[in-house]
Amino acid sequence: MKNVSVGQLNEVIREIDVVFSTILIETNKPLFIVNPVMNNIDKANLLKQFNKRFANMTMKETVNINSLMAIIEKYSVIKDKKALMSELSYLFSAPTNQILIRKEQPMLSEITNNKLIQLNVEAKDWKEAIQKSAEVLKEEGKITENYIQAMINNTASNGPYIVITKHVALPHARPEDGVIETAIGITTLKEAVVFGHELHDPVKYVFCLSTVDNNSHLKALAELVDLLDDGPFYELLEKAEEPQEILNYIKAKEG
């Protein structure tokens, strides 16, 4: 991956397969527009767009194994050339999205469960909404009390940036604030509460996220982004009587 200015792009365009830019530019390469500073939802949306565009493309189509071997031989000593070529061929025959989203990245259904899903929770304000949505994660050993306080403090200091779309909040903090295990809690509120967001208030659904690093949760988060564009999912959140109904819906969407 290279960082180049727009003026330098033509000089290196032959070496580039995909262009990520913060502005709209003219190029014959696949172009993805990204925010200068990307949050978790931005990353998940980019991942979803990338995978949708290249779902049927294999790395074998874009990587020439012989050319790759020539580069490797130039800078290293190869003990078993035939075995190396065989493994590279196998690696690059996997679909692009399987390489981008590695096996260690769990699906959404793998980082939530019935105990992390709460229905019709009462909360008097946004602080209590975060507190109650996170409490089950603490009880299940996913986070510490410090993490809950960090989420509340961050929202108090930085504003309602965790309100990511209409009626939906995604409270989260940094891994070092007290994450034990990657997880996501799903909480529906009995009555919507105001978080202070100009466009998306009031919040009715709280998805409390804990993640051990900056990448391992992206596959699950991309799934969540899809669900938040899915009208029937909201209908289910409103009428579900048991957490298992929501979990079953998530698993069904995963195929």
Side-chain angles (χ1 to χ4, degrees):
M1 183 174 289
K2 292 187 176 183
N3 294 321
V4 298
S5 66
V6 174
Q8 297 172 312
L9 185 59
N10 287 334
E11 300 173 14
V12 297
I13 197 66
R14 290 184 179 181
E15 306 171 32
I16 295 173
D17 296 313
V18 180
V19 177
F20 299 92
S21 174
T22 57
I23 59 173
L24 182 63
I25 59 176
E26 289 189 16
T27 176
N28 60 355
K29 300 290 185 177
L31 174 66
F32 293 88
I33 306 297
V34 300
N35 290 328
V37 180
M38 298 181 69
N39 58 31
N40 282 326
I41 292 298
D42 292 330
K43 293 177 185 178
N45 272 318
L46 176 60
L47 193 63
K48 184 174 80 169
Q49 293 170 26
F50 189 95
N51 290 333
K52 181 181 291 186
R53 189 160 184 177
F54 295 108
N56 297 319
M57 180 183 290
T58 65
M59 288 300 290
K60 190 175 284 185
E61 294 177 71
T62 58
V63 176
N64 183 293
I65 299 299
N66 290 326
S67 299
L68 183 59
M69 286 295 297
I71 295 172
I72 295 173
E73 288 178 315
K74 186 177 179 180
Y75 296 103
S76 62
V77 177
I78 300 174
K79 294 182 180 180
D80 190 335
K81 183 176 179 178
K82 185 176 179 180
L84 178 58
M85 289 189 71
S86 176
E87 289 207 26
L88 287 174
S89 296
Y90 175 79
L91 173 65
F92 293 131
S93 67
T96 302
N97 64 323
Q98 289 182 16
I99 293 172
L100 184 63
I101 303 179
R102 298 172 183 170
K103 287 185 178 180
E104 62 264 24
Q105 292 192 346
M107 294 186 292
L108 180 59
S109 64
E110 295 175 316
I111 63 170
T112 193
N113 57 56
N114 288 338
K115 294 181 180 179
L116 301 182
I117 300 174
Q118 306 176 91
L119 306 176
N120 297 314
V121 172
E122 293 187 8
K124 65 178 183 292
D125 56 26
W126 66 265
K127 289 184 180 180
E128 190 169 67
I130 293 176
Q131 176 77 40
K132 289 190 173 182
S133 69
E135 195 65 34
V136 289
L137 273 73
K138 188 182 79 169
E139 291 172 0
E140 292 300 306
K142 311 297 185 182
I143 59 174
T144 66
E145 179 64 35
N146 287 342
Y147 190 78
I148 300 176
Q149 196 57 52
M151 289 189 290
I152 293 173
N153 291 344
N154 289 347
T155 305
S157 299
N158 303 317
Y161 69 100
I162 60 172
V163 181
I164 58 173
T165 191
K166 200 76 173 175
H167 309 314
V168 175
L170 182 76
H172 58 280
R174 296 175 299 179
E176 58 268 29
D177 289 326
V179 173
I180 300 171
E181 187 177 331
T182 296
I184 190 162
I186 301 174
T187 299
T188 68
L189 300 176
K190 188 171 183 179
E191 300 292 338
V193 300
V194 172
F195 273 64
H197 197 283
E198 185 177 353
L199 298 176
H200 300 323
D201 264 345
V203 169
K204 190 76 161 55
Y205 315 106
V206 184
F207 297 84
C208 187
L209 174 68
S210 66
T211 177
V212 295
D213 56 37
N214 292 323
N215 298 304
S216 62
H217 63 292
L218 290 181
K219 181 177 182 179
L221 199 54
E223 285 185 52
L224 178 60
V225 169
D226 276 337
L227 286 171
L228 297 181
D229 285 332
D230 179 25
F233 180 61
Y234 290 99
E235 293 175 13
L236 177 62
L237 291 176
E238 283 299 309
K239 70 180 184 181
E241 297 180 358
E242 299 291 339
Q244 188 64 45
E245 296 177 54
I246 295 172
L247 195 56
N248 287 345
Y249 188 87
I250 292 171
K251 290 180 178 179
K253 294 291 283 188
E254 290 173 344

